[in-house]
Amino acid sequence: MAEILVLYYSRYGAVADMARRVARGVEEVHGMQARLRTVPPVSTVCEAVEDSIPSEGAPYATVEDLQECAGLALGSPTRFGNMAAPLKYFLDSTSSLWLSGALAGKPAGVFTSTASMHGGQETTLLSMMLPLFHHGMLLMGLPYTEPDLLTTETGGTPYGASHLAGADSKRPLSDAEIRLCRALGRRLAHAAGALNPGRPDTSTQ
Ligand SMILES: Cc1cc2nc3c(=O)[nH]c(=O)nc-3n(C[C@H](O)[C@H](O)[C@H](O)COP(=O)(O)O)c2cc1C
């Protein structure tokens, strides 16, 4: 089975919820599996270390997870219009993969969550793509053939899936946001299957 790495950081749970929906979309494609991974928070105390296995939720990602997977869905909360530092910190540890070109040619997509409607979903999504371009990944968004993209009144952009979590970050994913998360997962899985012709059937189950 080919795997899509669904790699995310989430402080309050919104992006974690999106990640599970993206993973569901990946697994709607026959022969594809999602590998869910997160990253630890970063500390102002540089010597502080976190247990290598988190007490709950997805395991922490390693560079091997990136290397082994056929594609990547990358999720982060919006932090001042940009991705969160823990995810950037992890990406900054991937120079060996950049040197070897291990990610070149693999499909990738991005997703985010914001507190406010115009709080920077698009800027975050676009800036999350930049390091992936440096790795030579093939960036994919969401097409307007997804009807929700035209009608959503909360999250959902052509640059990737998004969620409007509200000021208290407790607003649940809307039906449209859920469908767009799943569409992103499916799209990545289909692309990864098509780019790996050795893989068997990648039609939607
Ligand atoms: C330091 C910090 C900066 C943030 N910056 C923004 C921002 O620029 N725009 C916005 O709409 N929300 C911003 N937020 C809110 C989060 O993006 C939002 O609550 C998100 O849904 C959290 O995702 P999570 O539940 O996965 O942690 C910020 C939150 C924090 C803690």
Side-chain angles (χ1 to χ4, degrees):
M1 274 231 191
E3 289 182 278
I4 299 294
L5 179 63
V6 182
L7 172 62
Y8 68 95
Y9 174 71
S10 180
R11 175 80 189 272
Y12 303 109
V15 176
D17 195 11
M18 295 182 80
R20 288 189 287 272
R21 315 294 182 154
V22 172
R24 180 76 66 86
V26 168
E27 295 190 349
E28 282 168 1
V29 177
H30 188 70
M32 300 301 292
Q33 201 169 310
R35 187 185 299 195
L36 211 54
R37 292 288 184 272
T38 188
V39 295
V42 291
S43 167
T44 48
V45 182
C46 296
E47 289 78 18
V49 288
E50 175 69 286
D51 285 343
S52 58
I53 300 174
S55 53
E56 58 179 24
Y60 291 139
T62 63
V63 288
E64 286 74 29
D65 286 319
L66 280 168
Q67 188 148 21
E68 288 162 10
C69 284
L72 171 69
L74 188 69
S76 172
T78 288
R79 293 271 166 97
F80 303 120
N82 212 315
M83 86 171 92
L87 202 59
K88 179 68 165 54
Y89 184 78
F90 175 76
L91 291 175
D92 285 357
S93 74
T94 59
S95 311
S96 61
L97 298 180
W98 174 74
L99 280 168
S100 66
L103 304 183
K106 293 185 183 184
V110 292
F111 55 100
T112 191
S113 171
T114 57
S116 54
M117 181 76 124
H118 303 289
Q121 293 183 357
E122 284 94 340
T123 56
T124 301
L125 293 171
L126 290 171
S127 60
M128 289 172 76
M129 292 180 185
L130 300 181
L132 309 184
F133 276 122
H134 280 251
H135 274 292
M137 301 195 87
L138 305 176
L139 270 303
M140 308 186 67
L142 285 165
Y144 274 92
T145 47
E146 292 295 333
D148 290 307
L149 220 47
L150 272 176
T151 55
T152 180
E153 295 188 348
T154 55
T157 84
Y159 313 104
S162 64
H163 168 52
L164 175 63
D168 60 1
S169 208
K170 291 204 170 111
R171 194 172 171 150
L173 294 182
S174 70
D175 289 346
E177 289 171 342
I178 290 170
R179 283 191 292 268
L180 290 168
C181 284
R182 289 171 71 153
L184 181 67
R186 269 198 313 276
R187 202 161 145 81
L188 285 167
H190 279 302
L195 289 163
N196 289 276
R199 305 278 175 224
D201 179 12
T202 56
S203 57
T204 303
Q205 281 175 331

